[in-house]
Amino acid sequence: MSDTTASNNPGKMHFMLRSTTPITAFSQNMSDMTEEERNIMHQHIAYWTDLLNQGIALVFGPVLNPKSPHGVAIIEVENAEQVSQLIAEDPAIIAGLMTAEFYPMKAVLPK
């Protein structure tokens, strides 16, 4: 659904992903997580860093809103089916530490 004229990559689609966790007490430095939760979150960060290095994720990270902590990613993919697959393969989703929703967007990228 992306307006391909707004992108440097015609034919690509852009989506905004929003991830949330039922554990609202997670601090930014992960000090209040169990060791297992910390390990999963490190795997989650590594997973998204790899997607960033591949050019799929354009940006990702936590949103520092103390009343509504969540993560955001902007991704560029070939088709909408890829989005569900990327979410399903996220270690934090697999472990049940996070849920995610996504929406198509019209991304305007630098030239």
XYZ file of all heavy atoms in Angstrom:
856
model
N 0.801 -1.194 0.000
C 0.000 0.000 0.000
C 0.846 1.261 0.000
O 0.340 2.346 0.015
C -0.920 0.018 1.204
C -1.956 -1.078 1.204
S -3.134 -0.843 2.511
C -4.548 -0.405 1.530
N 2.137 1.093 0.033
C 3.006 2.262 0.030
C 2.950 2.959 -1.312
O 2.834 2.338 -2.350
C 4.444 1.824 0.329
O 5.317 2.909 0.224
N 3.021 4.249 -1.275
C 3.105 5.030 -2.496
C 4.532 4.895 -2.994
O 5.444 5.492 -2.450
C 2.767 6.488 -2.173
C 2.891 7.393 -3.383
O 3.216 6.915 -4.487
O 2.655 8.592 -3.204
N 4.720 4.104 -4.044
C 6.081 3.799 -4.484
C 6.810 5.027 -4.995
O 8.023 5.031 -5.065
C 6.090 2.700 -5.559
O 5.271 3.119 -6.644
C 5.600 1.388 -4.995
N 6.106 6.092 -5.349
C 6.787 7.306 -5.790
C 7.472 8.009 -4.624
O 8.322 8.850 -4.821
C 5.810 8.281 -6.478
O 4.814 8.672 -5.525
C 5.171 7.649 -7.693
N 7.088 7.661 -3.397
C 7.688 8.285 -2.224
C 8.938 7.544 -1.771
O 9.635 7.987 -0.888
C 6.684 8.324 -1.075
N 9.225 6.409 -2.369
C 10.328 5.564 -1.944
C 11.430 5.539 -2.988
O 11.203 5.743 -4.164
C 9.820 4.147 -1.704
O 10.877 3.256 -1.503
N 12.641 5.252 -2.532
C 13.754 5.024 -3.443
C 13.674 3.641 -4.067
O 14.438 3.335 -4.962
C 15.090 5.150 -2.694
C 15.373 6.575 -2.285
O 14.790 7.511 -2.805
N 16.268 6.721 -1.341
N 12.821 2.789 -3.566
C 12.720 1.401 -4.010
C 11.323 1.123 -4.559
O 10.464 0.628 -3.849
C 13.040 0.450 -2.849
C 14.464 0.577 -2.390
O 15.365 0.694 -3.206
N 14.674 0.560 -1.095
N 11.083 1.439 -5.831
C 9.770 1.166 -6.417
C 9.389 -0.299 -6.247
O 10.220 -1.191 -6.348
C 9.964 1.516 -7.896
C 11.123 2.454 -7.917
C 12.016 2.024 -6.786
N 8.123 -0.537 -5.978
C 7.635 -1.892 -5.792
C 7.717 -2.379 -4.357
O 7.178 -3.411 -4.025
N 8.378 -1.648 -3.508
C 8.469 -2.031 -2.092
C 7.279 -1.463 -1.327
O 6.719 -0.430 -1.700
C 9.760 -1.498 -1.462
C 11.021 -2.076 -2.052
C 11.279 -3.460 -1.540
C 12.640 -3.942 -2.026
N 13.092 -5.098 -1.310
N 6.928 -2.150 -0.257
C 5.850 -1.701 0.626
C 6.454 -1.370 1.980
O 7.449 -1.979 2.389
C 4.810 -2.802 0.778
C 4.169 -3.231 -0.528
S 3.014 -4.594 -0.291
C 1.638 -3.703 0.414
N 5.853 -0.434 2.675
C 6.335 -0.017 3.993
C 5.252 -0.253 5.039
O 4.066 -0.055 4.764
C 6.741 1.448 3.961
C 7.888 1.677 3.045
N 7.708 1.996 1.718
C 9.221 1.594 3.243
C 8.888 2.112 1.140
N 9.826 1.870 2.040
N 5.695 -0.667 6.207
C 4.787 -0.929 7.314
C 5.377 -0.384 8.602
O 6.595 -0.384 8.782
C 4.548 -2.436 7.478
C 3.761 -3.041 6.360
C 4.393 -3.461 5.209
C 2.383 -3.183 6.464
C 3.675 -4.016 4.159
C 1.660 -3.742 5.418
C 2.310 -4.153 4.265
N 4.488 0.045 9.493
C 4.861 0.424 10.848
C 4.414 -0.726 11.748
O 3.265 -1.165 11.686
C 4.159 1.718 11.268
C 4.605 2.266 12.627
S 3.869 1.518 14.117
C 2.139 1.736 13.872
N 5.334 -1.245 12.545
C 5.032 -2.299 13.505
C 5.076 -1.705 14.900
O 5.960 -0.900 15.203
C 6.059 -3.434 13.422
C 5.976 -4.377 12.235
C 6.318 -3.678 10.940
C 6.883 -5.556 12.449
N 4.136 -2.117 15.723
C 4.108 -1.682 17.119
C 4.081 -2.932 17.977
O 3.195 -3.779 17.826
C 2.868 -0.838 17.396
C 2.803 -0.302 18.810
C 1.557 0.582 18.980
N 1.570 1.300 20.231
C 1.131 0.823 21.396
N 0.633 -0.408 21.453
N 1.187 1.556 22.484
N 5.060 -3.066 18.849
C 5.117 -4.230 19.732
C 4.856 -3.797 21.165
O 5.262 -2.715 21.586
C 6.469 -4.932 19.631
O 7.506 -4.050 19.987
N 4.156 -4.636 21.892
C 3.869 -4.375 23.296
C 4.187 -5.626 24.094
O 4.257 -6.729 23.553
C 2.395 -3.980 23.514
O 1.554 -5.009 22.996
C 2.068 -2.662 22.826
N 4.370 -5.414 25.364
C 4.636 -6.529 26.260
C 3.654 -6.484 27.413
O 3.297 -5.398 27.886
C 6.086 -6.494 26.793
O 6.263 -7.570 27.715
C 6.421 -5.189 27.473
N 3.187 -7.638 27.862
C 2.292 -7.644 29.027
C 3.024 -7.280 30.312
O 2.410 -6.985 31.320
C 1.762 -9.077 29.070
C 2.779 -9.878 28.342
C 3.406 -8.966 27.328
N 4.340 -7.286 30.262
C 5.143 -6.963 31.442
C 5.474 -5.478 31.370
O 6.486 -5.067 30.830
C 6.414 -7.825 31.501
C 6.035 -9.297 31.413
C 7.211 -7.538 32.777
C 7.197 -10.238 31.231
N 4.602 -4.642 31.900
C 4.754 -3.193 31.766
C 5.877 -2.637 32.628
O 6.266 -1.487 32.463
C 3.446 -2.476 32.129
O 3.077 -2.841 33.454
C 2.347 -2.828 31.154
N 6.392 -3.439 33.543
C 7.441 -2.942 34.434
C 8.833 -3.024 33.824
O 9.799 -2.622 34.446
C 7.419 -3.715 35.748
N 8.961 -3.558 32.612
C 10.290 -3.654 32.000
C 10.954 -2.285 31.967
O 10.418 -1.332 31.436
C 10.202 -4.166 30.565
C 10.083 -5.661 30.429
C 9.930 -6.224 29.180
C 10.127 -6.506 31.523
C 9.822 -7.598 29.018
C 10.015 -7.876 31.372
C 9.864 -8.423 30.120
N 12.130 -2.210 32.533
C 12.882 -0.957 32.477
C 13.738 -0.935 31.226
O 13.972 -1.962 30.596
C 13.765 -0.822 33.716
O 14.761 -1.819 33.699
N 14.232 0.229 30.874
C 15.041 0.359 29.670
C 16.357 -0.400 29.761
O 16.883 -0.858 28.759
C 15.295 1.837 29.368
C 14.037 2.582 28.981
C 13.295 1.927 27.840
O 13.886 1.583 26.824
N 11.999 1.720 27.996
N 16.907 -0.551 30.952
C 18.176 -1.269 31.077
C 17.976 -2.759 31.378
O 18.930 -3.472 31.605
C 19.065 -0.618 32.137
C 18.477 -0.690 33.530
O 17.483 -1.366 33.769
N 19.085 0.020 34.452
N 16.729 -3.209 31.373
C 16.361 -4.616 31.542
C 16.756 -5.185 32.903
O 16.806 -6.395 33.071
C 16.938 -5.471 30.408
C 16.416 -5.102 29.045
S 16.852 -6.302 27.762
C 18.332 -5.585 27.091
N 17.018 -4.332 33.877
C 17.454 -4.823 35.185
C 16.343 -5.516 35.965
O 16.628 -6.292 36.874
C 18.023 -3.668 36.021
O 17.015 -2.695 36.256
N 15.098 -5.256 35.623
C 13.997 -5.878 36.352
C 13.453 -7.126 35.656
O 12.446 -7.667 36.044
C 12.875 -4.868 36.581
C 12.440 -4.156 35.321
O 13.090 -4.345 34.273
O 11.461 -3.400 35.366
N 14.165 -7.608 34.636
C 13.774 -8.830 33.942
C 14.494 -10.020 34.556
O 15.570 -9.877 35.129
C 14.161 -8.753 32.460
C 13.451 -7.717 31.674
S 14.044 -7.777 29.953
C 13.314 -6.287 29.329
N 13.901 -11.185 34.379
C 14.605 -12.394 34.772
C 15.741 -12.624 33.772
O 15.764 -12.032 32.688
C 13.666 -13.615 34.742
O 13.285 -13.881 33.390
C 12.434 -13.404 35.619
N 16.657 -13.489 34.113
C 17.754 -13.797 33.199
C 17.216 -14.347 31.870
O 17.690 -13.979 30.790
C 18.722 -14.791 33.834
C 19.929 -15.078 32.977
C 20.941 -15.984 33.650
O 20.879 -16.178 34.873
O 21.804 -16.497 32.925
N 16.210 -15.205 31.949
C 15.613 -15.769 30.736
C 14.982 -14.664 29.873
O 15.158 -14.640 28.650
C 14.560 -16.819 31.094
C 13.902 -17.430 29.872
C 12.816 -18.439 30.226
O 12.493 -18.619 31.411
O 12.289 -19.041 29.277
N 14.244 -13.751 30.502
C 13.632 -12.648 29.755
C 14.692 -11.759 29.110
O 14.547 -11.359 27.955
C 12.740 -11.810 30.680
C 11.495 -12.532 31.130
C 10.779 -11.843 32.274
O 11.396 -11.031 32.993
O 9.583 -12.128 32.467
N 15.761 -11.488 29.845
C 16.867 -10.681 29.287
C 17.485 -11.367 28.070
O 17.755 -10.731 27.058
C 17.945 -10.430 30.343
C 17.890 -9.054 30.962
C 19.126 -8.735 31.797
N 19.504 -9.767 32.760
C 18.907 -9.967 33.924
N 17.900 -9.218 34.298
N 19.319 -10.912 34.729
N 17.707 -12.677 28.173
C 18.271 -13.425 27.050
C 17.360 -13.356 25.825
O 17.837 -13.163 24.701
C 18.525 -14.885 27.436
C 19.690 -15.040 28.387
O 20.560 -14.180 28.468
N 19.699 -16.135 29.127
N 16.066 -13.505 26.052
C 15.115 -13.421 24.945
C 15.127 -12.029 24.334
O 15.117 -11.869 23.110
C 13.701 -13.823 25.409
C 13.673 -15.315 25.762
C 12.646 -13.481 24.356
C 12.458 -15.763 26.536
N 15.179 -10.999 25.165
C 15.193 -9.636 24.649
C 16.492 -9.355 23.883
O 16.473 -8.652 22.871
C 14.982 -8.622 25.773
C 13.573 -8.665 26.356
S 12.256 -8.501 25.122
C 12.488 -6.814 24.617
N 17.589 -9.907 24.317
C 18.839 -9.764 23.560
C 18.720 -10.461 22.197
O 19.218 -9.942 21.194
C 20.031 -10.296 24.352
C 20.447 -9.397 25.479
N 20.909 -8.119 25.292
C 20.451 -9.605 26.811
C 21.184 -7.564 26.459
N 20.909 -8.448 27.407
N 18.064 -11.617 22.168
C 17.816 -12.305 20.895
C 16.905 -11.461 19.998
O 17.112 -11.386 18.783
C 17.181 -13.676 21.140
C 18.093 -14.672 21.813
C 17.328 -15.928 22.229
O 16.327 -16.297 21.611
N 17.794 -16.583 23.278
N 15.903 -10.842 20.599
C 14.977 -9.958 19.878
C 15.747 -8.793 19.249
O 15.566 -8.491 18.062
C 13.920 -9.454 20.873
C 13.121 -8.280 20.432
N 12.094 -8.370 19.511
C 13.174 -6.979 20.819
C 11.558 -7.163 19.344
N 12.194 -6.310 20.123
N 16.621 -8.174 20.013
C 17.427 -7.052 19.510
C 18.352 -7.526 18.392
O 18.490 -6.863 17.362
C 18.205 -6.389 20.657
C 17.226 -5.720 21.625
C 19.228 -5.380 20.119
C 17.832 -5.344 22.969
N 18.965 -8.683 18.548
C 19.844 -9.231 17.515
C 19.052 -9.532 16.241
O 19.528 -9.276 15.125
C 20.552 -10.489 18.022
N 17.861 -10.061 16.390
C 16.998 -10.377 15.253
C 16.697 -9.100 14.458
O 16.856 -9.069 13.234
C 15.707 -11.022 15.770
C 14.671 -11.294 14.708
C 14.803 -12.366 13.840
C 13.538 -10.487 14.595
C 13.843 -12.633 12.865
C 12.574 -10.745 13.633
C 12.736 -11.812 12.777
O 11.783 -12.067 11.818
N 16.289 -8.039 15.159
C 15.949 -6.792 14.472
C 17.191 -6.084 13.944
O 17.131 -5.424 12.905
C 15.095 -5.900 15.371
C 13.684 -6.431 15.343
C 13.092 -7.263 16.250
C 12.743 -6.252 14.294
N 11.828 -7.594 15.830
C 11.587 -6.978 14.634
C 12.756 -5.542 13.100
C 10.457 -7.012 13.816
C 11.628 -5.568 12.291
C 10.499 -6.299 12.646
N 18.317 -6.236 14.590
C 19.567 -5.666 14.073
C 19.939 -6.350 12.762
O 20.376 -5.684 11.815
C 20.692 -5.808 15.110
O 20.312 -5.090 16.292
C 22.008 -5.256 14.594
N 19.744 -7.652 12.697
C 20.004 -8.375 11.452
C 19.077 -7.875 10.335
O 19.516 -7.670 9.200
C 19.837 -9.879 11.664
C 20.194 -10.685 10.430
O 21.277 -10.459 9.856
O 19.377 -11.540 10.031
N 17.796 -7.669 10.652
C 16.858 -7.141 9.652
C 17.253 -5.727 9.227
O 17.106 -5.373 8.053
C 15.429 -7.157 10.200
C 14.823 -8.547 10.426
C 13.463 -8.434 11.102
C 14.722 -9.316 9.125
N 17.789 -4.957 10.144
C 18.289 -3.619 9.817
C 19.473 -3.720 8.860
O 19.537 -3.024 7.843
C 18.686 -2.882 11.098
C 19.151 -1.449 10.959
C 17.982 -0.517 10.669
C 19.835 -1.010 12.244
N 20.392 -4.615 9.153
C 21.571 -4.808 8.303
C 21.200 -5.322 6.909
O 21.911 -5.049 5.946
C 22.570 -5.749 8.969
C 23.205 -5.123 10.194
O 23.277 -3.908 10.328
N 23.647 -5.960 11.122
N 20.094 -6.051 6.803
C 19.618 -6.546 5.514
C 18.847 -5.486 4.728
O 18.497 -5.702 3.576
C 18.688 -7.748 5.714
C 19.345 -8.993 6.233
C 18.307 -10.090 6.431
O 17.513 -10.368 5.538
N 18.306 -10.714 7.600
N 18.542 -4.367 5.370
C 17.776 -3.315 4.711
C 16.276 -3.517 4.788
O 15.513 -2.777 4.154
N 15.825 -4.489 5.558
C 14.386 -4.730 5.727
C 13.829 -3.771 6.769
O 12.833 -3.097 6.526
C 14.121 -6.201 6.115
C 14.551 -7.112 4.968
C 12.654 -6.409 6.495
C 14.572 -8.583 5.310
N 14.455 -3.725 7.925
C 14.075 -2.742 8.941
C 14.814 -1.448 8.627
O 16.025 -1.455 8.415
C 14.438 -3.239 10.338
N 14.070 -0.363 8.548
C 14.690 0.933 8.297
C 15.057 1.611 9.601
O 16.027 2.362 9.667
C 13.742 1.818 7.476
C 13.282 1.218 6.142
C 12.334 2.174 5.443
C 14.470 0.861 5.264
N 14.281 1.333 10.637
C 14.532 1.838 11.989
C 13.732 0.961 12.948
O 12.686 0.427 12.597
C 14.127 3.340 12.117
C 12.642 3.527 11.908
C 14.584 3.935 13.432
N 14.238 0.780 14.160
C 13.484 0.063 15.184
C 14.003 0.470 16.554
O 15.125 0.953 16.680
C 13.588 -1.465 15.014
C 14.895 -2.060 15.474
C 15.025 -2.568 16.759
C 15.990 -2.101 14.628
C 16.228 -3.113 17.184
C 17.193 -2.648 15.041
C 17.314 -3.153 16.326
N 13.173 0.296 17.567
C 13.615 0.559 18.929
C 12.458 0.800 19.872
O 11.300 0.918 19.452
N 12.786 0.889 21.164
C 11.746 1.141 22.167
C 11.313 2.606 22.135
O 12.112 3.500 21.854
C 12.446 0.801 23.492
C 13.893 1.023 23.216
C 14.110 0.698 21.768
N 10.048 2.814 22.435
C 9.508 4.158 22.590
C 9.494 4.437 24.091
O 8.910 3.681 24.867
C 8.095 4.267 21.980
C 7.492 5.641 22.248
C 8.153 3.977 20.482
N 10.158 5.493 24.497
C 10.371 5.772 25.920
C 9.193 6.528 26.533
O 9.338 7.626 27.055
C 11.682 6.545 26.094
C 12.911 5.869 25.473
C 14.140 6.751 25.622
C 13.132 4.494 26.076
N 8.034 5.919 26.488
C 6.827 6.481 27.076
C 6.539 5.701 28.352
O 6.124 4.550 28.284
C 5.663 6.376 26.084
C 4.374 6.919 26.635
O 4.224 7.158 27.824
N 3.400 7.103 25.765
N 6.747 6.290 29.531
C 6.579 5.536 30.777
C 5.147 5.051 30.999
O 4.935 4.064 31.695
C 7.006 6.520 31.862
C 6.955 7.864 31.227
C 7.136 7.677 29.767
N 4.159 5.706 30.415
C 2.768 5.288 30.595
C 2.339 4.230 29.586
O 1.345 3.551 29.799
C 1.846 6.501 30.496
C 2.048 7.471 31.636
C 1.081 8.617 31.563
C 1.357 9.566 32.728
N 0.437 10.679 32.754
N 3.086 4.101 28.507
C 2.720 3.139 27.469
C 3.974 2.638 26.755
O 4.213 2.967 25.600
C 1.768 3.799 26.474
O 1.416 2.894 25.454
N 4.789 1.849 27.456
C 6.020 1.371 26.811
C 5.704 0.444 25.643
O 4.813 -0.398 25.738
C 6.746 0.634 27.937
C 5.671 0.252 28.900
C 4.610 1.296 28.786
N 6.407 0.649 24.537
C 6.232 -0.206 23.377
C 7.420 -0.027 22.447
O 8.244 0.853 22.633
C 4.906 0.088 22.648
C 4.781 1.471 22.118
N 4.409 2.543 22.903
C 5.000 1.976 20.881
C 4.376 3.641 22.166
N 4.750 3.324 20.931
N 7.489 -0.887 21.465
C 8.525 -0.790 20.457
C 7.912 -0.422 19.123
O 6.731 -0.673 18.882
N 8.732 0.163 18.271
C 8.287 0.541 16.935
C 9.346 0.123 15.933
O 10.544 0.205 16.222
C 8.047 2.063 16.832
C 7.870 2.515 15.394
C 6.837 2.477 17.647
N 8.893 -0.323 14.778
C 9.791 -0.595 13.663
C 9.119 -0.097 12.398
O 7.893 -0.191 12.260
C 10.101 -2.078 13.546
N 9.913 0.436 11.507
C 9.461 0.770 10.165
C 10.217 -0.179 9.244
O 11.446 -0.248 9.296
C 9.769 2.231 9.775
C 9.215 3.204 10.810
C 9.273 2.519 8.354
C 7.721 3.217 10.959
N 9.466 -0.927 8.434
C 10.097 -1.927 7.580
C 9.728 -1.699 6.117
O 8.711 -1.084 5.806
C 9.739 -3.363 8.003
C 8.234 -3.620 7.879
C 10.226 -3.648 9.421
C 7.854 -5.072 8.059
N 10.583 -2.237 5.251
C 10.373 -2.175 3.805
C 10.444 -3.594 3.277
O 11.461 -4.273 3.446
C 11.467 -1.307 3.181
C 11.350 -1.140 1.693
C 12.406 -0.200 1.147
O 13.561 -0.678 0.968
O 12.103 0.972 0.933
N 9.337 -4.053 2.673
C 9.237 -5.441 2.214
C 8.634 -5.508 0.816
O 8.122 -4.517 0.291
C 8.395 -6.285 3.202
C 9.088 -6.429 4.545
C 7.001 -5.697 3.377
N 8.666 -6.692 0.243
C 8.102 -6.924 -1.090
C 6.578 -7.041 -1.059
O 5.905 -6.640 -1.998
C 8.679 -8.219 -1.681
C 10.171 -8.210 -1.883
C 10.625 -7.303 -3.008
O 9.828 -7.081 -3.943
O 11.764 -6.818 -2.946
N 6.050 -7.653 0.026
C 4.606 -7.878 0.099
C 4.168 -7.979 1.554
O 4.986 -8.185 2.451
C 4.212 -9.134 -0.681
C 4.959 -10.357 -0.200
O 4.842 -10.754 0.951
N 5.755 -10.951 -1.076
N 2.871 -7.860 1.770
C 2.313 -7.850 3.127
C 2.517 -9.173 3.853
O 2.625 -9.193 5.082
C 0.829 -7.494 3.065
N 2.592 -10.280 3.117
C 2.770 -11.580 3.764
C 4.100 -11.660 4.512
O 4.206 -12.364 5.519
C 2.669 -12.710 2.730
C 1.285 -12.901 2.153
C 0.895 -11.832 1.119
O 1.785 -11.296 0.422
O -0.303 -11.514 1.039
N 5.093 -10.950 4.021
C 6.398 -10.955 4.690
C 6.308 -10.389 6.106
O 7.053 -10.816 6.983
C 7.408 -10.124 3.905
C 7.959 -10.807 2.691
C 8.966 -9.904 2.001
O 8.580 -9.041 1.227
N 10.226 -10.096 2.308
N 5.418 -9.447 6.312
C 5.313 -8.799 7.624
C 4.917 -9.820 8.684
O 5.544 -9.919 9.741
C 4.319 -7.628 7.595
C 4.287 -6.928 8.953
C 4.672 -6.642 6.488
N 3.888 -10.598 8.388
C 3.445 -11.626 9.345
C 4.546 -12.626 9.624
O 4.729 -13.068 10.762
C 2.198 -12.342 8.820
O 1.131 -11.439 8.737
N 5.298 -12.989 8.604
C 6.395 -13.942 8.787
C 7.497 -13.345 9.662
O 8.021 -14.020 10.554
C 6.965 -14.355 7.440
C 8.081 -15.376 7.554
C 8.627 -15.803 6.195
O 8.087 -15.445 5.155
N 9.703 -16.555 6.218
N 7.846 -12.087 9.420
C 8.887 -11.431 10.234
C 8.474 -11.379 11.700
O 9.286 -11.637 12.590
C 9.157 -10.022 9.718
C 9.821 -9.927 8.345
C 9.824 -8.486 7.862
C 11.227 -10.499 8.385
N 7.213 -11.063 11.936
C 6.724 -11.008 13.317
C 6.751 -12.402 13.935
O 7.207 -12.578 15.066
C 5.305 -10.404 13.357
C 5.371 -8.909 13.011
C 4.655 -10.624 14.724
C 4.019 -8.256 12.787
N 6.286 -13.396 13.205
C 6.219 -14.768 13.733
C 7.592 -15.332 14.078
O 7.711 -16.198 14.940
C 5.519 -15.676 12.722
N 8.649 -14.829 13.425
C 10.003 -15.329 13.668
C 10.763 -14.530 14.737
O 11.898 -14.863 15.061
C 10.782 -15.332 12.353
C 10.217 -16.335 11.359
C 10.853 -16.272 9.981
O 11.696 -15.363 9.733
O 10.510 -17.124 9.142
N 10.148 -13.527 15.298
C 10.775 -12.704 16.340
C 10.862 -13.521 17.629
O 9.848 -14.025 18.117
C 9.936 -11.442 16.558
C 10.516 -10.480 17.569
O 11.170 -10.913 18.545
O 10.304 -9.269 17.392
N 12.054 -13.673 18.208
C 12.197 -14.472 19.431
C 11.302 -14.010 20.585
O 10.810 -14.840 21.353
C 13.671 -14.314 19.796
C 14.347 -14.024 18.493
C 13.354 -13.208 17.708
N 11.056 -12.714 20.723
C 10.201 -12.220 21.810
C 8.737 -12.567 21.565
O 7.986 -12.808 22.518
C 10.378 -10.714 21.977
N 8.330 -12.625 20.318
C 6.966 -13.044 19.982
C 6.825 -14.545 20.240
O 5.862 -15.000 20.859
C 6.633 -12.720 18.507
C 6.727 -11.217 18.228
C 5.279 -13.304 18.106
C 5.661 -10.361 18.841
N 7.791 -15.307 19.771
C 7.778 -16.762 19.955
C 7.688 -17.115 21.436
O 6.933 -17.999 21.833
C 9.025 -17.406 19.319
C 8.974 -17.255 17.792
C 9.161 -18.877 19.724
C 10.280 -17.583 17.090
N 8.437 -16.387 22.273
C 8.473 -16.672 23.711
C 7.258 -16.126 24.457
O 7.086 -16.407 25.641
C 9.747 -16.080 24.316
N 6.429 -15.347 23.789
C 5.256 -14.779 24.449
C 5.549 -13.535 25.263
O 4.702 -13.097 26.040
N 6.745 -12.954 25.120
C 7.080 -11.720 25.845
C 6.497 -10.486 25.182
O 6.397 -9.444 25.817
C 8.595 -11.537 25.946
C 9.339 -12.386 26.942
C 10.809 -11.981 26.991
C 8.730 -12.271 28.333
N 6.158 -10.589 23.908
C 5.628 -9.448 23.173
C 4.500 -9.895 22.252
O 4.441 -11.053 21.859
C 6.708 -8.789 22.303
C 7.750 -8.061 23.042
S 8.828 -7.209 21.873
C 9.572 -6.052 22.994
N 3.678 -8.928 21.916
C 2.722 -9.073 20.831
C 3.003 -7.933 19.867
O 3.636 -6.943 20.235
C 1.264 -8.999 21.328
O 1.063 -7.733 21.960
C 0.948 -10.124 22.296
N 2.543 -8.062 18.649
C 2.801 -7.014 17.664
C 1.600 -6.830 16.759
O 0.848 -7.768 16.498
C 4.037 -7.352 16.837
N 1.451 -5.597 16.329
C 0.458 -5.261 15.322
C 1.171 -4.437 14.261
O 2.225 -3.865 14.532
C -0.713 -4.492 15.928
C -0.304 -3.229 16.655
C -1.430 -2.593 17.471
O -2.452 -3.260 17.725
O -1.277 -1.428 17.834
N 0.600 -4.406 13.065
C 1.268 -3.652 12.001
C 0.248 -2.993 11.096
O -0.900 -3.440 10.991
C 2.217 -4.542 11.199
C 1.559 -5.672 10.460
C 1.180 -5.528 9.126
C 1.335 -6.895 11.083
C 0.586 -6.574 8.446
C 0.740 -7.948 10.402
C 0.360 -7.787 9.079
N 0.706 -1.912 10.464
C -0.142 -1.118 9.597
C 0.659 -0.672 8.385
O 1.818 -0.294 8.517
C -0.664 0.118 10.338
C -1.394 -0.244 11.604
C -0.725 -0.256 12.832
C -2.730 -0.611 11.569
C -1.389 -0.608 13.993
C -3.391 -0.971 12.733
C -2.723 -0.962 13.937
O -3.375 -1.332 15.086
N 0.031 -0.685 7.206
C 0.727 -0.159 6.034
C 0.910 1.347 6.186
O 0.138 2.007 6.886
C -0.219 -0.480 4.872
C -1.552 -0.713 5.488
C -1.317 -1.147 6.904
N 1.941 1.860 5.562
C 2.162 3.303 5.609
C 2.712 3.784 4.270
O 3.226 2.990 3.484
C 3.102 3.680 6.752
C 4.519 3.167 6.635
S 5.578 3.689 7.999
C 5.698 5.446 7.705
N 2.597 5.046 4.041
C 3.178 5.684 2.866
C 4.464 6.352 3.344
O 4.436 7.456 3.876
C 2.221 6.693 2.264
C 1.021 6.047 1.632
C 0.161 7.065 0.926
C -1.002 6.359 0.257
N -1.766 7.278 -0.590
N 5.558 5.647 3.200
C 6.832 6.132 3.716
C 7.447 7.134 2.739
O 7.444 6.929 1.528
C 7.802 4.969 3.914
N 7.969 8.200 3.292
C 8.735 9.166 2.524
C 10.168 9.032 3.015
O 10.457 9.271 4.186
C 8.223 10.603 2.730
C 9.068 11.583 1.968
C 6.756 10.689 2.316
N 11.049 8.593 2.127
C 12.428 8.299 2.497
C 13.369 9.331 1.878
O 13.066 9.895 0.836
C 12.806 6.905 2.013
C 11.913 5.769 2.527
C 12.292 4.468 1.845
C 11.993 5.644 4.018
N 14.530 9.543 2.492
C 15.485 10.471 1.895
C 15.986 9.938 0.562
O 16.055 8.730 0.346
C 16.624 10.533 2.922
C 16.466 9.319 3.753
C 15.024 8.917 3.696
N 16.341 10.855 -0.320
C 16.832 10.456 -1.656
C 18.280 10.092 -1.613
O 19.034 10.469 -0.818
C 16.616 11.590 -2.640
C 15.139 11.834 -2.824
C 14.900 12.882 -3.880
C 13.430 13.186 -3.882
N 12.710 13.195 -5.012
